[in-house]
Amino acid sequence: MKMHPRYYPAILIAAYVIFLLFGILLGFGPERGGGHGQSMLMQLAFVTPETLA
Amino acid sequence: MNAATGKKPFSLAKSRRTIQWLVVIGTFVLGLRHIMPGEASRGGSFDSFCAFGGIETLLPYLFTGHLLKSTNLLNFSVLIATLGVSLVAGRAFCGWLCGLGAIQDFVAEWTRKLLGEKRHVRGKRGRTILPMRLPAALDRPLRYAKYLVLAAILIASLYMAFPPLREFCPVRAVFGLKMTGLLWLTLAVFLAGSVLIERFWCKYLCPLGAALAIFNKISPVRLAVDGDRCNQCGRCDIECSMDIADVPHHLDHPECVRCMECLNTCARDGSLTLQIGYKENRI
């Protein structure tokens, strides 16, 4: 499907902002940093069929 | 000016330049904030706004649960945003939203002006000797250097306390405002490289560009060429800041930064178009 070039910059900025907010909503915000955190792999390690149930 | 409507026609080039200036000013403000007193209370160093910082600290975070020093969880959000743009439109981040890319474009433009090019005529090769294009025999192997840089940084990140690129980071050198001897050297090399070769850093050394290159093959927002209308005039090749040869046949080239200068320059209406979807982009 063809797209008018005028929408291109808006698409880029919208994609950037939406995905940035998505990242922050996932918990990757500045206030929770500081050099230490729990590994995502470590968190996955606790996910067992029992915990999911 | 459109006589019927009284409105100026839409210019993708002007939009890009405006966005690039905003990105550069915004990054300078971040750098300024970084040198102001009380930085620690504002949640995050200058490095924590870097998408590549997210890549640098990703493996240590996954394997040890610790972030590299000077990085922050915010790096992951910025990385997700950069990957999101790339997922939608390929390496458009490099062409439109990267501060370093913008600086390189400005330096190339100013170099041409300083060397006597009064007005840039689209699709016409400039008479100035700089910025120059490296011969293909040298240019092609050098383009792989950025993939080596990326691999080296990923491996080194597992063994280091700070992000491996930190001491040589051109973003810190250009925008960081907290300079060290190594950063001054980086700044000098970066500026000299940008004067000599257009988008020198993007072409040969940028590890983030290397990581985003694959997205040009899978993004749904892409360029398409109408083979019947394109007369292979080569105007797009001349205008390409990444020096991609034969642009109409390489619209998904991993080196393309989706700056859309080719689309701007194309003189044949409907020959190059923007499309959404995964239809064959050579019509």
Side-chain angles (χ1 to χ4, degrees):
Chain A
M1 186 176 73
K2 277 187 186 176
M3 185 184 97
H4 195 286
R6 79 167 68 234
Y7 302 120
Y8 188 70
I11 286 175
L12 298 183
I13 293 170
Y16 193 86
V17 171
I18 289 167
F19 280 98
L20 185 69
L21 291 175
F22 178 65
I24 291 171
L25 286 175
L26 280 178
F28 299 127
E31 72 283 356
R32 295 182 59 188
H36 301 282
Q38 195 172 26
S39 154
M40 281 191 275
L41 286 186
M42 294 264 287
Q43 288 177 20
L44 283 176
F46 297 120
V47 179
T48 59
E50 289 77 25
T51 57
L52 284 174
Chain B
M1 183 86 76
N2 187 324
T5 60
K7 282 182 184 173
K8 282 186 180 175
F10 174 76
S11 166
L12 206 51
K14 277 187 186 165
S15 303
R16 187 168 85 96
R17 202 36 59 97
T18 307
I19 290 173
Q20 284 186 315
W21 270 114
L22 290 175
V23 169
V24 165
I25 293 167
T27 318
F28 267 121
V29 169
L30 281 180
L32 199 63
R33 174 187 176 275
H34 180 56
I35 58 166
M36 301 281 267
E39 182 206 350
S41 63
R42 288 190 221 111
S45 65
F46 181 70
D47 298 358
S48 58
F49 296 90
C50 172
F52 192 67
I55 293 180
E56 286 176 294
T57 200
L58 182 64
L59 292 182
Y61 185 65
L62 287 175
F63 289 115
T64 68
H66 293 274
L67 296 162
L68 295 178
K69 283 179 187 169
S70 89
T71 62
N72 191 298
L73 286 178
L74 184 64
N75 284 97
F76 293 132
S77 289
V78 182
L79 176 62
I80 289 169
T82 306
L83 294 177
V85 171
S86 309
L87 205 59
V88 171
R91 276 181 74 182
F93 175 83
C94 308
W96 288 71
L97 302 174
C98 174
L100 279 186
I103 292 286
Q104 288 175 93
D105 282 348
F106 299 159
V107 168
E109 196 180 304
W110 295 334
T111 304
R112 287 196 190 96
K113 278 188 180 160
L114 277 173
L115 293 177
E117 188 180 83
K118 284 179 185 157
R119 190 171 163 270
H120 177 63
V121 181
R122 283 198 165 273
K124 209 170 180 184
R125 208 174 286 283
R127 289 181 189 162
T128 56
I129 50 166
L130 295 176
M132 60 181 173
R133 291 185 178 198
L134 286 184
L138 190 60
D139 175 73
R140 196 165 294 174
L142 281 177
R143 299 246 181 180
Y144 292 104
K146 59 179 171 289
Y147 298 99
L148 293 177
V149 171
L150 175 63
I153 287 171
L154 284 177
I155 294 167
S157 69
L158 289 169
Y159 302 99
M160 295 181 77
F162 280 95
L165 193 65
R166 191 171 188 266
E167 293 308 315
F168 308 94
C169 176
V171 179
R172 286 184 71 220
V174 175
F175 300 106
L177 303 174
K178 258 187 185 175
M179 300 300 275
T180 63
L182 279 175
L183 286 178
W184 279 114
L185 183 69
T186 306
L187 181 65
V189 171
F190 175 79
L191 290 178
S194 306
V195 167
L196 291 171
I197 300 164
E198 196 166 2
R199 285 212 173 228
F200 154 82
W201 174 257
C202 308
K203 281 176 189 163
Y204 306 122
L205 292 171
C206 181
L208 183 61
L212 301 182
I214 187 72
F215 289 98
N216 277 358
K217 302 283 183 195
I218 57 174
S219 63
V221 177
R222 49 172 56 190
L223 281 164
V225 62
D226 185 334
D228 293 333
R229 292 189 184 182
C230 175
N231 63 350
Q232 307 279 323
C233 65
R235 284 169 60 101
C236 45
D237 293 2
I238 291 168
E239 215 58 41
C240 181
S241 61
M242 292 299 281
D243 295 343
I244 296 169
D246 192 12
V247 170
H249 286 96
H250 298 103
L251 293 173
D252 293 338
H253 198 286
E255 293 292 312
C256 173
V257 292
R258 301 282 170 94
C259 62
M260 300 293 156
E261 288 298 325
C262 48
L263 184 67
N264 263 317
T265 306
C266 186
R268 288 177 80 94
D269 203 25
S271 175
L272 269 180
T273 50
L274 260 176
Q275 69 169 28
I276 304 179
Y278 292 101
K279 232 170 68 178
E280 179 63 41
N281 62 357
R282 187 160 181 86
I283 307 160

